[in-house]
């Protein structure tokens, strides 16, 4: 059956959802996701057959299983638990971790999965990245053999869900000054403090928590399991971005963690960089996928929607916007592709990762704005995907290092001077 036939059947099955009512002539919504139209420069030719087949596999799942239902979850700010078994079958969790039931993917294969997920829904890509490229990766890189054997196989199958708790209410960009403490007691550690913004945090089985050792004052990491006495989570409400992701405020009050749940590979805050160096590459791909999805929806819309007796596609100003979006999407792909190759070759620097993450989120803001304009009023309706991406990209812009902080890391690379800590600010604060 051709893709067009499949579309026709799905269109009939979901009629009413799609806005093809003769009394309200509109264009198709993204419940039936458009064909990919964004690869003008045949950048797929840069991929290996394995990378391309990963793209196809994940694209099919996202278009057929996720696109028809995801907007309603997004609107209700609910996590789509019903999609997790299908997601698990894609065998993506654990990314490049070897063994322990993980798929041992190359970084580029994982990236191809991330763009296809983000193309349809940014929340689902964040769900995967927090679970796989923050929680699992930390355990895989810095956990003990016992921790890996116990947790990674369950996390790889999504029998357990993971989250990663670094940010605190008073320490976002300034995470290295985190205040949560870990105090040694017989048989384990007592964790006290608060965390904020933790993705998957309301329902995760396993939370990787970064806390300051009260004795050495160095940052250590611990595994806290769901239901541990003294550990509470509360959903952050009223978000306008990534509404399916359940971000939590967390409180640890005399929360006991046994010695066996300390991540022995972590000696200091610098160890977070071992994880973030890889996860930031993945985050640099998220805006690429979001921008591709926006372009693809707009490319179909302008052919279906007519004004002044002709499709929008025939207007010069629409064509200019489409061409600008397309050029930017291709450039974003090339930036992220090069970064990933540098990582695979062992040559990537933090400055390069920060530059590409920040630049791609900035450019994605431009693409989603142009797409939103091209759709007119429907550009603010979540059914057409672009409004959802328009909001979601704001989280990409601010997490895993804000745009500013990543640009300052890149700026440090250019000048050799760090402008991240502003000394004059302390003098200002003392006058208040
Ligand atoms: C949807 C979402 C999901 C998240 N998921 C997680 C998670 O799973 N785990 C986790 O640990 N954290 C998570 N975070 C936290 C995220 O990493 C922080 O939000 C981010 O580091 C920024 O911190 P902040 O929000 O406190 O902003 P702040 O640090 O308060 O920054 C506010 C503003 O000041 C600017 N600024 C700060 N410092 C400087 C500087 N030195 N120079 C110039 N400008 C500066 C920033 O760029 C920003 O514009 C998530 C955040 C969001 C929004």
């Amino acid at each position: 059956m051709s893709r067009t036939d499949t579309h026709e059947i799905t269109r009939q099955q979901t009629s009413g959802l799609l806005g093809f009512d003769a009394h309200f002539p509109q264009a198709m919504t993204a419940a039936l996701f458009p064909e990919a139209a964004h690869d003008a420069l045949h950048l797929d030719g840069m991929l290996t057959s394995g990378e391309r087949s990963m793209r196809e596999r994940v694209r099919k799942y996202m278009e057929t299983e996720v696109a028809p239902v995801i907007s309603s979850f997004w609107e209700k700010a609910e996590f789509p638990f019903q999609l997790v078994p299908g997601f698990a079958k894609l065998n993506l969790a654990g990314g490049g971790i070897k063994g322990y039931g993980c798929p041992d993917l190359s970084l580029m294969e994982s990236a191809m999965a991330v763009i296809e997920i983000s193309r349809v829904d940014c929340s689902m890509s964040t769900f995967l990245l927090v679970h796989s490229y923050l929680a699992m990766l930390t355990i895989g890189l810095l956990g003990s053999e016992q921790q890996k054997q116990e947790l990674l196989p369950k996390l790889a199958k999504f029998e357990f869900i993971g989250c990663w708790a670094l940010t605190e209410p008073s320490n976002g960009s300034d995470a290295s000054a985190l205040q949560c403490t870990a105090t040694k007691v017989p048989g384990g550690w007592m964790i006290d403090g608060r965390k904020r913004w933790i993705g998957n945090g309301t329902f995760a089985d396993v939370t990787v928590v970064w806390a300051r050792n009260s004795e050495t004052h160095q940052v250590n990491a611990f595994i806290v399991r769901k239901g541990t006495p003294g550990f509470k989570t509360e959903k952050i409400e009223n978000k306008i971005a990534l509404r399916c992701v359940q971000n939590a405020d967390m409180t640890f009050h005399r929360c006991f963690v046994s010695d066996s749940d300390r991540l022995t590979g972590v000696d200091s805050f610098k160890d977070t960089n071992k994880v973030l160096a890889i996860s930031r590459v993945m985050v640099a791909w998220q805006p690429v996928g979001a921008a591709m999805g926006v372009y693809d929806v707009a490319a179909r819309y302008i052919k279906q929607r007519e004004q002044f007796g002709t499709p929008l596609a025939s207007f010069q100003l629409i064509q200019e916007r489409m061409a600008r979006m397309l050029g930017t999407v291709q450039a974003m792909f090339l930036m992220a592709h090069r970064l990933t190759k540098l990582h695979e070759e062992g040559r990537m620097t933090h400055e390069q990762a920060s530059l590409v993450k920040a630049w791609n989120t900035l450019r994605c803001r431009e693409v989603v704005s142009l797409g939103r304009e091209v759709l007119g009023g429907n550009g603010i309706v979540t059914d057409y995907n672009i409004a959802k991406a328009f909001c979601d990209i704001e989280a990409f812009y601010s997490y895993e290092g804000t745009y500013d902080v990543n640009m300052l890391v890149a700026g440090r690379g250019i000048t050799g001077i760090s402008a991240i800590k502003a000394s004059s600010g302390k003098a200002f604060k003392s006058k208040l």
Side-chain angles (χ1 to χ4, degrees), residues 222-411:
F222 303 86
I223 291 162
V224 177
R225 288 140 198 278
K226 183 153 84 177
T228 304
F231 173 37
K232 286 202 184 106
T233 67
E234 193 175 335
K235 179 181 168 183
I236 297 178
E237 303 282 0
N238 308 328
K239 286 188 300 162
I240 64 145
L242 303 181
R243 282 175 61 77
C244 300
V245 176
Q246 307 294 297
N247 289 94
D249 278 331
M250 295 182 162
T251 310
F252 302 87
H253 178 63
R254 296 187 57 72
C255 174
F256 177 79
V257 173
S258 69
D259 280 327
S260 60
D261 278 341
R262 180 179 165 202
L263 291 167
T264 45
V266 178
D267 293 323
S268 76
F269 184 77
K270 282 195 175 143
D271 291 313
T272 59
N273 278 331
K274 293 180 182 157
V275 180
L276 294 173
I278 300 177
S279 66
R280 195 156 288 150
V281 177
M282 288 296 119
V283 173
W285 280 102
Q286 286 187 299
V288 185
M292 284 172 173
V294 164
Y295 178 83
D296 292 341
V297 169
R300 180 177 68 184
Y301 190 91
I302 58 169
K303 290 181 198 141
Q304 295 180 339
R305 171 76 174 160
E306 293 187 3
Q307 286 297 282
F308 301 96
T310 56
L312 296 182
S314 60
F315 300 124
Q316 290 180 344
L317 293 178
I318 293 287
Q319 290 187 9
E320 187 275 342
R321 281 176 177 75
M322 294 303 295
R324 191 141 50 108
M325 286 161 72
L326 185 59
T328 307
V329 169
Q330 303 279 278
M332 290 165 70
F333 184 99
L334 286 169
M335 289 281 273
H337 189 274
R338 184 68 194 135
L339 184 72
T340 310
K341 281 281 169 211
L342 285 171
H343 192 285
E344 286 182 343
E345 292 163 12
R347 293 197 289 143
M348 187 195 82
T349 64
H350 290 298
E351 287 80 5
Q352 289 165 338
S354 287
L355 177 68
V356 177
K357 188 269 176 182
W359 191 84
N360 272 358
T361 58
L362 182 70
R363 295 275 74 89
C364 190
R365 265 183 158 182
E366 182 189 339
V367 172
V368 297
S369 295
L370 290 168
R372 178 257 160 286
E373 285 175 25
V374 164
L375 262 68
N378 285 331
I380 65 159
V381 179
T382 56
D383 299 343
Y384 289 86
N385 184 60
I386 292 181
K388 180 162 74 67
F390 184 94
C391 295
D392 287 342
I393 173 68
E394 290 306 300
F396 294 172
Y397 190 78
S398 291
Y399 72 28
E400 194 96 15
T402 64
Y403 170 81
D404 297 324
V405 170
N406 276 304
M407 280 312 226
L408 290 174
V409 172

Side-chain angles (χ1 to χ4, degrees), residues 14 37 117 124 158 168 178-179 192 194 210 215 308 353 399:
T14 53
I117 300 169
M124 289 305 282
F158 288 93
E168 300 185 350
L178 63 84
Q179 295 167 29
D192 284 281
R194 293 165 71 204
W210 300 84
E215 204 174 306
F308 301 96
Y399 72 28

